[in-house]
Every structure is written in structure tokens, then in C-alpha cells.
Amino acid sequence: MKALQEKILIDGIVLSDTVLKVDTFLNHQMDPVLMKEIGEEFGKRFEKEGITKILTIESSGIAPAIMAALKLNVEMVFARKRKSLTLQDGLITSKVYSFTKKEENEISVAEKFILPIDRVLIIDDFLANGQAALGLMDIVKKAGADVGGVGIVIEKAFQDGGRLVRETGVKVESLARIESLKGGQVTFVPTKQGVTS
């Protein structure tokens, strides 16, 4: 997705060979026009998958997920990382290790929001080590529903997550795939006819 790649090149900050900071437009401050375009792109890529619900994880996945839900005309639910007084019973949970924060979180979704009849599209901001996507897939499986695909805004293709998620056999679409962050430079995986997946 050209607009996203351009935004990464202009506003992204490479902090190390493995860390890209995109807090000016994706995971702190958000660019609503870009989020709308991202949602529309996910909508196009998954429109034939029979999606009935979108699942993401708080908080950075919410904006692209809600825009994709708007495009696909389905509801969106997000997995919570924190316990809530109003969300105690009837939960589906999974453990997710965050390499960025160096901690394990238990994520949860109320079981009433994902039903066995659902075909779920998982959306997230980053795919690096794959733990968030795999944790969300685990929740869908525990709900007895089907994973209809995984949509990722930015994939760090030089890390294992993409391989781990694709090995499950699910359709994965990444809008920007980064080949390298070495030397403080963002290099994208070459695309065939403008498509990255």
C-alpha cells in the first residue's frame, strides 16, 4: 500500500535494527485519513472471505480494525489486556507475550461477542514475533469460530511472526512488509504487481 509506505518513510523513526516508531500516525497519535484508506484496503483484500466479525487487540489495532469493519459492514470487538469490573465472567482468554514490553499479558474477550457461526478477520497494527496474532487466533478457536484471515498494517518480515502465522494456513495480508531496518533505513520487501501479503 503506497500511501502507507510513504507515511512510514516520512514519519517513521527507526530506533534500532528491530524497532520502528510510528507513534505520529498509528499507535499514539492517529492519522484518520490514512486509517480510512487502510480500512478500505483491508476491506478489498478480504471482501470475498465471508467475514462476519473483526477481532483486534487494544489499543493500537482498534483504529484500523474499526475502519475495516466499517468497510465490510460487520461488528468489531477488541481483546482487552486489562481486567475490568464490568468484564469478569464468561470470558475467553489467551496468553500473549510482548517482546516490546518484555511481559506476558492475558487477553480476554467476552464469549458472547464471538460465536461458533462467526468467520473472524483478525486485524493488528504490527506483526513481528506473531504472538498477538496467534493469541487472537487462539481466542477465535476457543470460541468455536473460524479465522477468515489476518490483516496486518506493518509486518517486520525479518522476524518470525509472519512465518509462524502463515504456517497455520490462514490467509495473511500485510499492507507494508519491512525487509530491513538496518542502518536506520526502512527497506520494504519488493512487491509483485503492488501486492504484499
Side-chain angles (χ1 to χ4, degrees):
M1 188 179 156
K2 197 168 175 25
L4 175 59
Q5 289 187 352
E6 287 171 0
K7 194 75 166 173
I8 291 168
L9 292 174
I10 293 166
D11 292 337
I13 299 168
V14 179
L15 297 180
S16 72
D17 287 355
T18 59
V19 180
L20 174 67
K21 187 176 181 181
V22 289
D23 65 346
T24 61
F25 65 91
L26 180 59
N27 56 18
H28 194 37
Q29 174 174 270
M30 293 187 189
D31 178 334
V33 174
L34 182 62
M35 289 305 114
K36 184 172 183 284
E37 289 177 37
I38 285 169
E40 288 171 354
E41 185 64 26
F42 281 137
K44 281 186 220 162
R45 294 190 188 200
F46 291 99
E47 66 187 349
K48 295 179 180 166
E49 300 302 320
I51 301 302
T52 62
K53 187 148 296 185
I54 292 179
L55 175 64
T56 191
I57 192 167
E58 65 176 352
S59 59
S60 301
I62 292 175
I66 196 72
M67 292 300 187
L70 191 62
K71 177 68 178 174
L72 291 170
N73 195 29
V74 297
E75 292 175 323
M76 184 274 287
V77 62
F78 63 89
R80 292 180 177 261
K81 294 179 188 173
R82 293 164 204 85
K83 296 287 182 208
S84 164
L85 289 173
T86 61
L87 191 66
Q88 297 284 337
D89 301 318
L91 299 179
I92 305 169
T93 63
S94 187
K95 300 258 190 228
V96 173
Y97 183 78
S98 169
F99 286 87
T100 310
K101 296 176 183 167
K102 306 260 190 281
E103 64 184 25
E104 187 176 72
N105 288 304
E106 184 176 74
I107 61 170
S108 58
V109 173
E111 61 186 10
K112 66 182 178 182
F113 292 135
I114 302 177
L115 304 175
I117 58 168
D118 281 319
R119 188 158 167 80
V120 181
L121 171 59
I122 291 166
I123 300 277
D124 206 5
D125 61 338
F126 269 95
L127 177 58
N129 293 291
Q131 298 307 297
L134 292 169
L136 292 169
M137 290 171 73
D138 183 49
I139 283 177
V140 174
K141 183 179 174 185
K142 286 175 178 174
D146 290 325
V147 177
V150 175
I152 301 295
V153 179
I154 301 170
E155 178 183 345
K156 294 179 191 174
F158 55 87
Q159 290 181 284
D160 283 338
R163 177 184 57 78
L164 291 172
V165 176
R166 286 179 180 91
E167 281 177 356
T168 68
V170 73
K171 176 181 178 178
V172 179
E173 291 283 344
S174 298
L175 303 188
R177 295 185 74 212
I178 295 174
E179 187 172 60
S180 171
L181 295 172
K182 290 185 178 167
Q185 297 294 313
V186 177
T187 307
F188 295 104
V189 174
T191 61
K192 293 176 185 172
Q193 299 172 337
V195 175
T196 59
S197 60

